[in-house]
Amino acid sequence: MMPVRMAAISLEPLDVAAHLSAVADATAGAETSFVGRVRDHDPDAATAVIALEYSAHPDAEQALRRIAEEAIGETGATVAVSHRIGRLAVGDAAVAIAVSSPHRAEAFTVCRTIIETIKTDLPVWKRQVESDGTTAWKGLGG
């Protein structure tokens, strides 16, 4: 089977259970997951954050697959990863990552590498919307 079982940019809500199911494997002794959610605050915001609006470059899905493949390397891990685009409310999942591997250390390392690389390399941008109507674009690098 392919080590990257899912790498998607989606307008639809992310299904965390589907990510975990995608990496389920009888040879895996470990599964880790990460869910990045929209929060109601930002240190740079003057008022409460009410939404994030994500947009993506047309090549973002291929970039996401590359990020996952590079994070896996020679670890033997399996990955399912998705990033949502469109308008997300507070509490909505923006990123879902599931990793399985023979041992826990690799699963944790691959999962963390993927989310950190998404923050710096994935061509997805977000516009933060505050309760007073103020908006701010946040680019690569979070």
Side-chain angles (χ1 to χ4, degrees), residues 10-102:
S10 177
L11 282 165
E12 299 301 319
L14 302 182
D15 183 344
V16 177
H19 286 71
L20 290 169
S21 179
V23 301
D25 191 316
T27 66
E31 286 183 1
T32 61
S33 61
F34 173 83
V35 178
R37 295 191 182 276
V38 177
R39 63 181 178 220
D40 67 356
H41 65 281
D42 181 329
D44 298 327
T47 61
V49 173
I50 60 168
L52 293 177
E53 297 171 348
Y54 288 94
S55 58
H57 187 278
D59 295 334
E61 198 162 271
Q62 292 88 341
L64 187 58
R65 179 169 295 279
R66 177 191 49 77
I67 288 167
E69 289 170 347
E70 290 176 1
I72 291 167
E74 300 298 319
T75 64
T78 302
V79 169
V81 57
S82 297
H83 199 301
R84 190 162 168 211
I85 57 173
R87 187 178 177 103
L88 281 68
V90 171
D92 286 346
V95 178
I97 304 168
V99 179
S100 66
S101 67

Side-chain angles (χ1 to χ4, degrees), residues 110-129:
V110 170
C111 192
R112 182 176 186 104
T113 299
I114 291 170
I115 189 58
E116 297 300 337
T117 308
I118 283 172
K119 298 296 281 182
T120 59
D121 292 5
L122 187 65
V124 169
W125 303 274
K126 63 184 174 184
R127 186 173 87 131
Q128 183 170 279
V129 182

